[in-house]
Amino acid sequence: MAESKILLEIKNLVTEFKTDDGITKAVNDISFTLNRGETIGIVGESGSGKSVTSLSIMRLIPDPPGRIASGEIIFHTKDGKQIDLTKISEDEMRKYRGNEIAMIFQEPMTSLNPVFTCGNQVMEAIQLHQKVSKHEATEITLKMFDKVKLPNPQRIFDAYPHQLSGGQKQRVMIAMAMSCNPSILIADEPTTALDVTVQATILDLMAKLKGEIDSSIVFITHDLGVIAEIADKVIVMYKGKIVEQGTVLEIFSNPKHPYTKSLLACRPPLGKRLSKLPTVVDFMTEDENGGIIEKHTSVEQAINAVVITDEENNARRNKVLAGKTLLQLKNVQTWFPVAKNFMGKTTDYVKAVDDVTFDVYEGETLGLVGESGCGKTTLGRTILRLAPAHGGEIVFDGKNILGLNNTDMKAMREHMQIIFQDPYSSLNPRITIGSAIMEPMTVHGIYANDKERKEKVLELLAKVNMKPEFFNRYPHEFSGGQRQRICIARALALNPKFIICDESVSALDVSVQAQVLNLLIKLREEFKFTYIFISHDLSVVKFMSDRMVVMNKGKIEEMGISDDIYNNPQREYTQKLIAAIPKGELSDIQKRIAGEKARLN
């Protein structure tokens, strides 16, 4: 029998969950086809149903509370059989799961068992699906580690997950998923939390391995820029439904649905300066029945409506840079001991921050960019004295804060705040968000009583577009974007002069990210805040900042006006960071497709 071109058919799939409010259809009557050798990108916000779709294909929906209510998932085997994966037993499904259909999950740290070495975990998957000896499984594992470009495969084989970086852990997951030469690889947000350079490497690696083992990929993400780098076809999901699908060229050159347009428009553009980022509400609203009312706006119109000229941008920046210096860093060092002699004396250090010097002006947003491990977060924490400085001076508003005692430093913290990367871990799950925002006011004795403080909290919630009734709710009742808004409101509670935003949007959907970035800019203009904006995403830093500091291995690689650094980077490291940004340009997509066609011919 001739081998079918079709590999997987999803027909009218409905996956639902039982909740306190009734039945929720997380995936609502979706249909699509995956062909052999094809990469399909599924894109949408958190809650759109894209991850539930992948878990449905793998038959990993937790039951209860979830179940595949109806529809078909038909897998076409190499010998011509058509298997409906929704109808077979769990024992039969195990033959396909991990062997014919493999999955890379979003968070490698929670997907890898912390008590087993990385090598053992990949070996286990190989021995489960292939009749090979332990020695052969070891050889295959080491070859896979070499294939996914892990440095020193033997060391990684013997290492535990906590001993590896995020990018290395993700490569171990890819090696595990690819070890049985699956027909289908499902990648669920595999690059979301990674640096742009590591992300670019992972995308290249997946495309290369797909060709080597002749598999197909279902790539799930919230970022259309990433989809442009890897996909042949694109499926756009919104609230459990497919609202648009087509080839990657069709979607990027002529998006039809307003939601698709909003996803394309809300990524910070690299070639233009915007006063704010377009968001979903610029393209669509919903009526009381959940129907979509389109605001007939093209992507270009939405972006052009908020473009600011170079003259406007330069005037704002020059005014700020001519003003008062709020923060001065002079030869700041933050070193951590890594080796001691038998007497207990430290003999070696990791120089996380090594001789860093720069100024920050009142009302400025200074971007701090670099890969994981470059020292940017440690520097942010050192500025606030949340990490101890080894040497140097940090002068804030005329005072060297490294010389302050604990009492004076506590008073200084009223003026210096931080918004952390993970809003969930920075909020106490046992207290309401109203209490969390009120707490710093109580600690610093701001306002006469709790009644006045509550009024201020409600005012702050309104500032970050949150409803007053949210005051008595707990952190777990909110989405990631809402929790980040709560953390912003808490940072504003003390009326600070200076805020450090530490990767504060990196874990958010691009559409929610756009809303939070717009909010930070609006608050800066309203309250004259000074920001240090830390991120590994150079496109976000360029959008937010007046000037930019590029860090590498604890040192400053390059520093200057953001636009100048992007348009004319002087250092090879900065050039590498810029080259790795997924740009989503039509010309790049056309070049990639032409290259793939030439390779196949």
Side-chain angles (χ1 to χ4, degrees):
M1 190 180 290
E3 191 177 315
S4 169
K5 185 187 172 189
I6 295 171
L7 186 56
L8 187 73
E9 290 178 277
I10 309 290
K11 295 181 177 178
N12 308 108
L13 179 67
V14 177
T15 303
E16 58 188 30
F17 290 84
K18 201 176 279 186
T19 68
D20 292 340
D21 299 324
I23 300 294
T24 297
K25 290 185 177 178
V27 170
N28 191 359
D29 195 27
I30 70 165
S31 300
F32 66 88
T33 301
L34 174 69
N35 293 324
R36 293 186 187 277
E38 186 173 58
T39 298
I40 283 184
I42 302 181
V43 69
E45 297 171 288
S46 296
S48 64
K50 56 191 191 299
S51 288
V52 175
T53 300
S54 67
L55 293 171
S56 300
I57 295 169
M58 295 289 287
R59 285 269 304 272
L60 291 174
I61 297 294
D63 183 6
R67 71 185 186 109
I68 295 174
S70 61
E72 298 171 285
I73 302 171
I74 298 170
F75 177 65
H76 293 246
T77 64
K78 287 170 185 171
D79 59 5
K81 290 180 188 169
Q82 295 184 22
I83 312 290
D84 186 348
L85 300 180
T86 66
K87 301 288 192 291
I88 60 177
S89 68
E90 178 59 25
D91 282 345
E92 285 180 283
M93 186 63 206
R94 282 199 194 103
K95 295 173 191 172
Y96 295 98
R97 190 190 296 133
N99 187 22
E100 289 283 2
I101 307 172
M103 187 162 178
I104 305 165
F105 293 94
Q106 179 171 354
E107 180 41 73
M109 194 63 217
T110 54
S111 308
L112 291 168
N113 191 325
V115 300
F116 291 106
T117 65
C118 295
N120 275 330
Q121 294 184 62
V122 178
M123 276 176 62
E124 182 187 25
I126 292 166
Q127 288 186 287
L128 187 67
H129 294 292
Q130 301 178 46
K131 290 175 181 172
V132 294
S133 67
K134 190 175 179 181
H135 176 73
E136 288 172 308
T138 301
E139 290 300 309
I140 294 169
T141 301
L142 289 169
K143 274 182 191 167
M144 285 307 302
F145 283 174
D146 188 50
K147 253 186 186 175
V148 298
K149 304 280 192 299
L150 278 165
N152 194 342
Q154 185 61 58
R155 184 188 74 79
I156 302 291
F157 186 96
D158 296 325
Y160 290 89
H162 73 272
Q163 295 173 303
L164 306 184
S165 71
Q168 287 174 333
K169 284 195 283 273
Q170 199 59 285
R171 287 174 203 220
V172 170
M173 288 296 299
I174 292 171
M176 189 188 295
M178 295 289 203
S179 62
C180 295
N181 295 342
S183 298
I184 300 172
L185 177 66
I186 299 171
D188 186 7
E189 301 266 16
T191 61
T192 295
L194 302 180
D195 298 330
V196 284
T197 47
V198 179
Q199 173 177 274
T201 308
I202 295 287
L203 294 177
D204 286 345
L205 176 64
M206 288 178 67
K208 185 174 172 232
L209 290 176
K210 181 188 91 165
E212 281 181 15
I213 67 172
D214 193 27
S215 68
S216 301
I217 295 177
V218 176
F219 194 98
I220 294 165
T221 182
H222 60 257
D223 189 346
L224 270 166
V226 173
I227 290 286
E229 303 281 311
I230 196 167
D232 303 308
K233 283 197 319 203
V234 184
I235 290 168
V236 183
M237 290 190 71
Y238 179 70
K239 293 193 172 177
K241 290 181 175 288
I242 292 175
V243 294
E244 188 166 359
Q245 59 179 306
T247 68
V248 67
L249 269 179
E250 287 168 351
I251 295 295
F252 276 81
S253 60
N254 189 23
K256 299 283 195 297
H257 196 275
Y259 181 66
T260 312
K261 294 174 188 175
S262 71
L263 289 181
L264 283 166
C266 67
R267 287 195 92 255
L270 288 161
K272 295 177 180 176
R273 269 279 174 186
L274 307 185
S275 57
K276 70 184 213 49
L277 291 169
T279 59
V280 175
V281 294
D282 294 308
F283 291 89
M284 55 185 267
T285 54
E286 290 186 25
D287 60 28
E288 57 274 11
N289 301 317
I292 290 170
I293 303 166
E294 184 171 357
K295 298 177 177 178
H296 299 281
T297 313
S298 73
V299 173
E300 291 73 23
Q301 283 174 325
I303 289 172
N304 290 336
V306 288
V307 166
I308 53 176
T309 64
D310 289 342
E311 290 76 16
E312 290 172 299
N313 182 50
N314 293 341
R316 189 209 105 78
R317 186 184 61 242
N318 293 340
K319 184 181 175 185
V320 167
L321 299 184
K324 176 187 170 187
T325 303
L326 183 66
L327 178 73
Q328 289 178 294
L329 273 65
K330 299 175 184 176
N331 310 108
V332 174
Q333 299 171 329
T334 307
W335 298 359
F336 296 106
V338 289
K340 296 185 178 182
N341 63 18
F342 70 98
M343 299 286 288
K345 186 178 178 183
T346 301
T347 57
D348 196 16
Y349 292 91
V350 167
K351 297 181 179 181
V353 176
D354 192 12
D355 202 28
V356 167
T357 299
F358 60 76
D359 295 346
V360 184
Y361 295 89
E362 210 164 50
E364 180 185 16
T365 299
L366 181 81
L368 203 54
V369 70
E371 296 173 290
S372 294
C374 72
K376 57 190 188 298
T377 290
T378 301
L379 179 59
R381 294 174 69 86
T382 303
I383 291 168
L384 296 177
R385 276 202 25 200
L386 298 174
H390 197 84
E393 288 181 49
I394 299 172
V395 179
F396 179 79
D397 212 10
K399 292 181 183 172
N400 182 5
I401 64 169
L402 296 184
L404 299 179
N405 61 32
N406 289 342
T407 304
D408 291 338
M409 190 61 214
K410 180 185 171 185
M412 186 62 78
R413 289 192 198 284
E414 194 176 324
H415 308 294
M416 308 170 80
Q417 289 291 304
I418 186 167
I419 303 164
F420 292 102
Q421 177 173 357
D422 181 0
Y424 195 71
S425 61
S426 54
L427 290 168
N428 188 332
R430 295 190 293 177
I431 66 173
T432 64
I433 61 118
S435 300
I437 298 169
M438 198 189 291
E439 185 180 35
M441 299 181 199
T442 308
V443 168
H444 287 276
I446 295 174
Y447 303 109
N449 51 50
D450 280 352
K451 186 185 174 197
E452 286 184 19
R453 291 181 193 119
K454 183 175 179 178
E455 285 173 8
K456 180 63 177 176
V457 171
L458 294 174
E459 185 186 313
L460 288 170
L461 286 173
K463 287 271 182 223
V464 297
N465 301 323
M466 301 284 278
K467 296 175 183 173
E469 55 264 34
F470 291 170
F471 184 93
N472 291 315
R473 292 190 188 173
Y474 289 87
H476 73 271
E477 298 179 77
F478 297 94
S479 69
Q482 287 174 318
R483 283 197 288 265
Q484 200 57 287
R485 287 165 188 267
I486 293 160
C487 290
I488 292 170
R490 185 176 59 179
L492 301 180
L494 300 176
N495 297 321
K497 295 178 182 177
F498 170 68
I499 298 175
I500 293 177
C501 304
D502 184 11
E503 298 273 15
S504 52
V505 296
S506 64
L508 303 179
D509 295 333
V510 283
S511 50
V512 179
Q513 174 182 284
Q515 294 166 19
V516 173
L517 293 176
N518 288 344
L519 173 64
L520 289 170
I521 285 177
K522 181 183 163 208
L523 293 170
R524 181 186 71 189
E525 300 310 310
E526 186 176 342
F527 293 102
K528 309 300 179 206
F529 288 138
T530 303
Y531 290 135
I532 286 184
F533 195 91
I534 299 170
S535 179
H536 62 256
D537 187 339
L538 203 141
S539 61
V540 170
V541 170
K542 180 180 175 292
F543 168 72
M544 283 294 295
S545 62
D546 300 299
R547 289 184 304 143
M548 187 188 299
V549 173
V550 182
M551 284 189 72
N552 181 27
K553 295 178 182 173
K555 291 183 176 288
I556 293 176
E557 280 276 340
E558 195 165 348
M559 179 166 62
I561 304 299
S562 298
D563 292 334
D564 293 348
I565 286 181
Y566 174 72
N567 293 324
N568 188 23
Q570 299 299 304
R571 302 296 291 260
E572 187 183 340
Y573 179 77
T574 314
Q575 291 164 5
K576 187 178 78 166
L577 280 181
I578 292 168
I581 301 168
K583 297 172 180 64
E585 301 286 347
L586 266 178
S587 56
D588 292 337
I589 296 169
Q590 288 164 336
K591 203 182 294 178
R592 173 174 69 83
I593 292 169
E596 285 171 5
K597 278 181 181 170
R599 182 175 52 80
L600 291 171
N601 293 334

